PDB file of all heavy atoms in Angstrom:
ATOM      1  N   ARG A 273      21.458  49.373 -63.544  1.00 90.00           N
ATOM      2  CA  ARG A 273      22.168  49.369 -64.814  1.00 90.00           C
ATOM      3  C   ARG A 273      23.578  48.851 -64.573  1.00 90.00           C
ATOM      4  O   ARG A 273      24.253  49.280 -63.643  1.00 90.00           O
ATOM      5  CB  ARG A 273      22.223  50.775 -65.417  1.00 90.00           C
ATOM      6  CG  ARG A 273      22.791  50.787 -66.840  1.00 90.00           C
ATOM      7  CD  ARG A 273      22.757  52.180 -67.426  1.00 90.00           C
ATOM      8  NE  ARG A 273      23.744  53.050 -66.795  1.00 90.00           N
ATOM      9  CZ  ARG A 273      23.790  54.376 -66.958  1.00 90.00           C
ATOM     10  NH1 ARG A 273      22.874  54.971 -67.702  1.00 90.00           N
ATOM     11  NH2 ARG A 273      24.704  55.098 -66.357  1.00 90.00           N
ATOM     12  N   ILE A 274      23.994  47.942 -65.419  1.00 92.00           N
ATOM     13  CA  ILE A 274      25.334  47.360 -65.341  1.00 92.00           C
ATOM     14  C   ILE A 274      26.167  47.926 -66.483  1.00 92.00           C
ATOM     15  O   ILE A 274      25.723  47.965 -67.634  1.00 92.00           O
ATOM     16  CB  ILE A 274      25.280  45.818 -65.436  1.00 92.00           C
ATOM     17  CG1 ILE A 274      24.307  45.260 -64.391  1.00 92.00           C
ATOM     18  CG2 ILE A 274      26.673  45.233 -65.267  1.00 92.00           C
ATOM     19  CD1 ILE A 274      24.629  45.622 -62.965  1.00 92.00           C
ATOM     20  N   SER A 275      27.378  48.351 -66.169  1.00 93.00           N
ATOM     21  CA  SER A 275      28.214  49.015 -67.170  1.00 93.00           C
ATOM     22  C   SER A 275      29.595  48.385 -67.264  1.00 93.00           C
ATOM     23  O   SER A 275      30.063  47.711 -66.336  1.00 93.00           O
ATOM     24  CB  SER A 275      28.374  50.506 -66.835  1.00 93.00           C
ATOM     25  OG  SER A 275      27.135  51.172 -66.903  1.00 93.00           O
ATOM     26  N   LEU A 276      30.220  48.623 -68.401  1.00 94.00           N
ATOM     27  CA  LEU A 276      31.601  48.229 -68.648  1.00 94.00           C
ATOM     28  C   LEU A 276      32.474  49.460 -68.427  1.00 94.00           C
ATOM     29  O   LEU A 276      32.173  50.539 -68.933  1.00 94.00           O
ATOM     30  CB  LEU A 276      31.748  47.713 -70.081  1.00 94.00           C
ATOM     31  CG  LEU A 276      33.129  47.246 -70.537  1.00 94.00           C
ATOM     32  CD1 LEU A 276      33.565  46.008 -69.762  1.00 94.00           C
ATOM     33  CD2 LEU A 276      33.117  46.950 -72.036  1.00 94.00           C
ATOM     34  N   TYR A 277      33.549  49.310 -67.671  1.00 94.00           N
ATOM     35  CA  TYR A 277      34.426  50.439 -67.353  1.00 94.00           C
ATOM     36  C   TYR A 277      35.837  50.200 -67.902  1.00 94.00           C
ATOM     37  O   TYR A 277      36.382  49.102 -67.771  1.00 94.00           O
ATOM     38  CB  TYR A 277      34.501  50.647 -65.841  1.00 94.00           C
ATOM     39  CG  TYR A 277      33.208  51.153 -65.246  1.00 94.00           C
ATOM     40  CD1 TYR A 277      32.229  50.259 -64.817  1.00 94.00           C
ATOM     41  CD2 TYR A 277      32.961  52.512 -65.138  1.00 94.00           C
ATOM     42  CE1 TYR A 277      31.033  50.717 -64.292  1.00 94.00           C
ATOM     43  CE2 TYR A 277      31.766  52.977 -64.607  1.00 94.00           C
ATOM     44  CZ  TYR A 277      30.804  52.077 -64.183  1.00 94.00           C
ATOM     45  OH  TYR A 277      29.627  52.539 -63.664  1.00 94.00           O
ATOM     46  N   ILE A 278      36.383  51.246 -68.512  1.00 92.00           N
ATOM     47  CA  ILE A 278      37.757  51.215 -69.013  1.00 92.00           C
ATOM     48  C   ILE A 278      38.412  52.549 -68.699  1.00 92.00           C
ATOM     49  O   ILE A 278      37.737  53.539 -68.398  1.00 92.00           O
ATOM     50  CB  ILE A 278      37.817  50.977 -70.545  1.00 92.00           C
ATOM     51  CG1 ILE A 278      36.985  52.046 -71.275  1.00 92.00           C
ATOM     52  CG2 ILE A 278      37.337  49.574 -70.898  1.00 92.00           C
ATOM     53  CD1 ILE A 278      37.117  52.010 -72.779  1.00 92.00           C
ATOM     54  N   ARG A 279      39.732  52.596 -68.778  1.00 87.00           N
ATOM     55  CA  ARG A 279      40.428  53.882 -68.679  1.00 87.00           C
ATOM     56  C   ARG A 279      40.119  54.704 -69.925  1.00 87.00           C
ATOM     57  O   ARG A 279      39.918  54.156 -71.014  1.00 87.00           O
ATOM     58  CB  ARG A 279      41.944  53.681 -68.575  1.00 87.00           C
ATOM     59  CG  ARG A 279      42.407  52.999 -67.308  1.00 87.00           C
ATOM     60  CD  ARG A 279      43.932  53.052 -67.196  1.00 87.00           C
ATOM     61  NE  ARG A 279      44.575  52.551 -68.400  1.00 87.00           N
ATOM     62  CZ  ARG A 279      44.860  51.275 -68.612  1.00 87.00           C
ATOM     63  NH1 ARG A 279      44.555  50.363 -67.711  1.00 87.00           N
ATOM     64  NH2 ARG A 279      45.442  50.891 -69.733  1.00 87.00           N
ATOM     65  N   LYS A 280      40.089  56.001 -69.779  1.00 83.00           N
ATOM     66  CA  LYS A 280      39.784  56.867 -70.915  1.00 83.00           C
ATOM     67  C   LYS A 280      40.865  56.803 -71.989  1.00 83.00           C
ATOM     68  O   LYS A 280      40.616  57.147 -73.146  1.00 83.00           O
ATOM     69  CB  LYS A 280      39.600  58.308 -70.441  1.00 83.00           C
ATOM     70  CG  LYS A 280      38.277  58.521 -69.723  1.00 83.00           C
ATOM     71  CD  LYS A 280      38.026  59.986 -69.429  1.00 83.00           C
ATOM     72  CE  LYS A 280      36.644  60.174 -68.814  1.00 83.00           C
ATOM     73  NZ  LYS A 280      36.349  61.588 -68.510  1.00 83.00           N
ATOM     74  N   ASP A 281      42.070  56.370 -71.617  1.00 78.00           N
ATOM     75  CA  ASP A 281      43.149  56.268 -72.603  1.00 78.00           C
ATOM     76  C   ASP A 281      43.282  54.846 -73.156  1.00 78.00           C
ATOM     77  O   ASP A 281      44.263  54.518 -73.822  1.00 78.00           O
ATOM     78  CB  ASP A 281      44.479  56.723 -71.993  1.00 78.00           C
ATOM     79  CG  ASP A 281      44.876  55.904 -70.758  1.00 78.00           C
ATOM     80  OD1 ASP A 281      44.126  54.989 -70.373  1.00 78.00           O
ATOM     81  OD2 ASP A 281      45.929  56.194 -70.171  1.00 78.00           O
ATOM     82  N   PHE A 282      42.298  53.997 -72.909  1.00 80.00           N
ATOM     83  CA  PHE A 282      42.329  52.618 -73.397  1.00 80.00           C
ATOM     84  C   PHE A 282      42.221  52.609 -74.922  1.00 80.00           C
ATOM     85  O   PHE A 282      41.407  53.332 -75.501  1.00 80.00           O
ATOM     86  CB  PHE A 282      41.147  51.844 -72.797  1.00 80.00           C
ATOM     87  CG  PHE A 282      41.199  50.356 -72.986  1.00 80.00           C
ATOM     88  CD1 PHE A 282      42.037  49.572 -72.208  1.00 80.00           C
ATOM     89  CD2 PHE A 282      40.387  49.731 -73.913  1.00 80.00           C
ATOM     90  CE1 PHE A 282      42.068  48.188 -72.365  1.00 80.00           C
ATOM     91  CE2 PHE A 282      40.410  48.356 -74.072  1.00 80.00           C
ATOM     92  CZ  PHE A 282      41.252  47.582 -73.301  1.00 80.00           C
ATOM     93  N   VAL A 283      43.036  51.805 -75.578  1.00 73.00           N
ATOM     94  CA  VAL A 283      43.070  51.835 -77.041  1.00 73.00           C
ATOM     95  C   VAL A 283      42.718  50.491 -77.690  1.00 73.00           C
ATOM     96  O   VAL A 283      42.595  50.408 -78.914  1.00 73.00           O
ATOM     97  CB  VAL A 283      44.463  52.288 -77.561  1.00 73.00           C
ATOM     98  CG1 VAL A 283      44.770  53.690 -77.101  1.00 73.00           C
ATOM     99  CG2 VAL A 283      45.550  51.310 -77.141  1.00 73.00           C
TER     100      VAL A 283
END
Side-chain angles (χ1 to χ4, degrees):
R273 188 177 71 191
I274 307 302
S275 296
L276 180 66
Y277 291 89
I278 56 173
R279 294 189 308 273
K280 286 188 175 180
D281 59 0
F282 192 77
V283 298

